[in-house]
């Protein structure tokens, strides 16, 4: 009986840990949050830097599939470099990263619309050719 209760507690604890780490990793996609962490000295704390290294397991497909903001993985990778962590103290650096993310998103969105339109046109041509 006690073993079953302990196992349930472990499962609940693991689920909570998963949710907290998932949320935190996704927050890393926000350059303004990274600037906030840098300005408060988190990136100078060796324990915090080690935690960021530990979080690299999110790059594995079995975990990455849960991410809504995949750019967080790129930021997590960049945060492994001390020079990048130091630059994030500068608000202009965070602003530049933010702008680049927006430009990337706009380009991706436009490209995706063009691909969808081309696919729809191709399907329409195939349908009319088949008749």
């Amino acid at each position: 009986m006690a073993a079953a209760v302990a196992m349930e507690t472990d499962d609940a604890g693991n689920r909570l840990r998963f949710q907290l780490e998932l949320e935190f990793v996704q927050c890393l996609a926000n350059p303004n949050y990274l600037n906030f962490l840098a300005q408060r000295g988190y990136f100078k704390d060796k324990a915090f830097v080690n935690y960021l290294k530990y979080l690299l397991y999110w790059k594995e497909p079995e975990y990455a599939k849960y991410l809504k903001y995949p750019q967080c993985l790129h930021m997590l990778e960049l945060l492994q470099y001390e020079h990048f962590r130091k630059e994030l103290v500068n608000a202009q650096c965070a602003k530049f990263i933010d702008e680049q993310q927006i430009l990337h998103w706009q380009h991706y969105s436009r490209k995706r619309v063009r691909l969808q339109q081309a696919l729809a046109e191709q399907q329409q041509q195939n349908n009319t050719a088949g008749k």
Side-chain angles (χ1 to χ4, degrees):
M1 177 81 168
V5 172
M7 191 180 291
E8 266 186 44
T9 305
D10 282 351
D11 285 347
N14 287 339
R15 217 175 7 258
L16 179 61
R17 180 178 179 175
F18 176 82
Q19 290 171 343
L20 291 173
E21 289 180 356
L22 172 63
E23 185 175 340
F24 177 73
V25 167
Q26 292 193 108
C27 286
L28 299 178
N30 182 342
N32 296 307
Y33 180 62
L34 297 178
N35 176 252
F36 170 85
L37 293 174
Q39 287 182 348
R40 278 144 188 86
Y42 283 91
F43 296 141
K44 294 178 184 174
D45 181 359
K46 189 164 180 65
F48 190 78
V49 172
N50 286 338
Y51 181 63
L52 292 173
K53 190 173 196 172
Y54 157 77
L55 291 173
L56 286 171
Y57 76 87
W58 282 96
K59 294 177 74 175
E60 299 297 323
E62 65 191 271
Y63 295 100
K65 68 183 179 183
Y66 296 104
L67 298 170
K68 287 187 178 184
Y69 308 104
Q71 65 269 31
C72 67
L73 294 178
H74 185 64
M75 293 299 169
L76 180 60
E77 185 68 36
L78 290 173
L79 286 168
Q80 304 305 310
Y81 299 98
E82 183 179 6
H83 180 73
F84 182 72
R85 293 191 305 264
K86 286 182 178 179
E87 288 297 321
L88 285 169
V89 172
N90 183 351
Q92 285 302 111
C93 177
K95 185 177 186 320
F96 176 77
I97 294 169
D98 192 39
E99 290 169 351
Q100 294 303 305
Q101 284 182 335
I102 291 170
L103 289 172
H104 176 75
W105 175 76
Q106 288 174 336
H107 172 74
Y108 173 79
S109 296
R110 288 184 194 126
K111 186 175 179 180
R112 184 176 172 135
V113 166
R114 284 194 299 264
L115 287 172
Q116 288 175 336
Q117 287 173 342
L119 181 61
E121 288 172 7
Q122 183 181 15
Q123 287 176 343
Q124 187 177 15
Q125 288 174 354
N126 290 343
N127 289 343
T128 57
K131 288 183 180 180

